[in-house]
């Protein structure tokens, strides 16, 4: 039996005003929690599937609140692909309203990929959810996506698995290209300081020392204690630059950059892709953009 919170009933009543069919005529109805997962799902699903995304490009997946169109889409969906490990606090509302035939698939929690702990903030010690920031983590997501889609739509399994194989090959090549590009940054400059601990897996993959003011964006941002701790770390390490992310105010990193006298660079894209005409229009573009930001800020060789 469905378990629905009162706020869900209210949102469902509001959605009756929407007369446009959410998914069109396709029989395959998929939800992605945010744009990075949408991009990975599309690489496996192909063009014969409708995908709706809860959190649009440019918005913070951590702090999103479900809208009536979100609720209507979820009501009609067969599968919801989300990250898990606490990235999307609003998923508890999706779980409350989920009908019996809706499959909820947490990619990070089911991926064959070693998690890292969050090292700071109120979620310290919990698994860091940002596994997709390493292409190997994204490849592990692709495997889960292909398995889930094949189980639900076995008549398309061969196509799903073929596209997944191609996507993983592309991600392997991307990983190699990023590694080669990052070789231009001197080892002594590989200090990656950001607002949120969203670059931990990237740092592990490409041999950076990483630190952040807070652990996840949905905790208190830039508390006095967190700022003081980061300030002391900056004094001790003197990085070449600090970096801010596209979904958080840059005021915290700007204040620290001014305090220690280093440049502020960004934005880095972590929790969202950009608009289609922006620099992070898909997953590979997002990582390539971030790598160029690191080159500019940390003294790497210029792009040819």
């Amino acid at each position: 039996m469905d378990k629905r919170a009162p706020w869900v009933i209210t949102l469902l009543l509001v959605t009756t005003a929407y007369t446009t069919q959410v998914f069109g005529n396709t029989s395959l109805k998929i939800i992605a929690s945010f744009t990075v997962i949408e991009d990975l799902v599309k690489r496996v699903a192909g063009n014969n599937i409708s995908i709706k995304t809860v959190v649009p490009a440019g918005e913070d997946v951590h702090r999103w609140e479900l809208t009536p169109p979100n609720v209507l889409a979820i009501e009609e969906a067969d599968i919801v692909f989300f990250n898990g490990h606490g990235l999307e606090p609003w998923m508890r509302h999706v779980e409350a309203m989920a009908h019996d035939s809706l499959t909820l698939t947490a990619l990070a929690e089911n991926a064959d990929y070693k998690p890292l702990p969050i090292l700071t903030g109120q979620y310290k010690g919990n698994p860091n959810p940002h596994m997709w920031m390493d292409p190997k983590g994204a490849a592990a997501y692709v495997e889960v996506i292909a398995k889930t889609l094949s189980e639900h739509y076995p008549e398309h399994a061969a196509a799903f698995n073929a596209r997944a194989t191609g996507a993983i090959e592309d991600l392997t090549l991307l990983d190699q290209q990023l590694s080669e590009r990052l070789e231009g940054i001197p080892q002594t400059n590989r200090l990656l300081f950001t607002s949120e601990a969203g670059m931990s897996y990237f740092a592990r993959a490409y041999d950076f020392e990483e630190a952040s003011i807070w652990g996840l964006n949905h905790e208190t941002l830039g508390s006095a204690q967190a700022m003081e701790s980061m300030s002391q770390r900056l004094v001790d390490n003197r990085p070449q630059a600090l970096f801010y992310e596209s979904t958080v105010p840059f005021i915290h990193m700007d204040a620290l950059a001014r305090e220690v006298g280093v440049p502020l660079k960004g934005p880095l894209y972590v929790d969202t892709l950009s608009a289609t005409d922006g620099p992070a229009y898909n997953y590979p573009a997002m990582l390539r953009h971030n790598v160029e930001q690191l080159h500019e800020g940390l003294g790497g060789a210029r792009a040819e």
Side-chain angles (χ1 to χ4, degrees), residues 28 30 78-79 81 101-105 146-155 160:
L28 309 181
I30 308 300
D78 300 308
I79 304 173
F81 288 108
S101 61
L102 179 63
T103 297
L104 304 178
T105 301
K147 180 176 184 291
T148 303
L149 289 176
S150 296
E151 289 173 349
H152 282 73
Y153 312 112
E155 66 274 22
F160 293 147

Side-chain angles (χ1 to χ4, degrees), residues 22-42:
V22 172
F23 282 98
N25 296 322
T26 181
S27 61
L28 309 181
K29 300 174 181 179
I30 308 300
I31 297 287
S33 62
F34 69 112
T35 51
V36 173
I37 289 179
E38 175 193 11
D39 185 85
L40 296 177
V41 172
K42 284 181 175 179

Side-chain angles (χ1 to χ4, degrees), residues 247-278:
T247 54
V248 298
F250 66 84
I251 56 173
H252 306 94
M253 296 308 283
D254 183 57
L256 290 167
R258 292 174 183 273
E259 178 182 340
V260 296
V262 300
L264 178 64
K265 300 294 183 178
L268 302 180
Y269 285 86
V270 177
D271 293 328
T272 182
L273 300 181
S274 68
T276 55
D277 59 350

Side-chain angles (χ1 to χ4, degrees), residues 113-173:
Y113 181 82
K114 184 179 179 180
L116 290 169
I118 297 172
L119 298 179
T120 190
Q122 69 187 76
Y123 298 99
K124 183 177 180 179
N126 289 353
N128 190 313
H130 301 87
M131 293 179 180
W132 68 87
M133 292 305 293
D134 176 1
K136 297 182 185 69
Y141 284 20
V142 166
E143 292 178 346
V144 178
I145 292 166
K147 180 176 184 291
T148 303
L149 289 176
S150 296
E151 289 173 349
H152 282 73
Y153 312 112
E155 66 274 22
H156 300 292
F160 293 147
N161 289 323
R163 282 191 287 264
T165 297
I168 291 170
E169 291 173 354
D170 291 343
L171 290 167
T172 300
L173 178 59

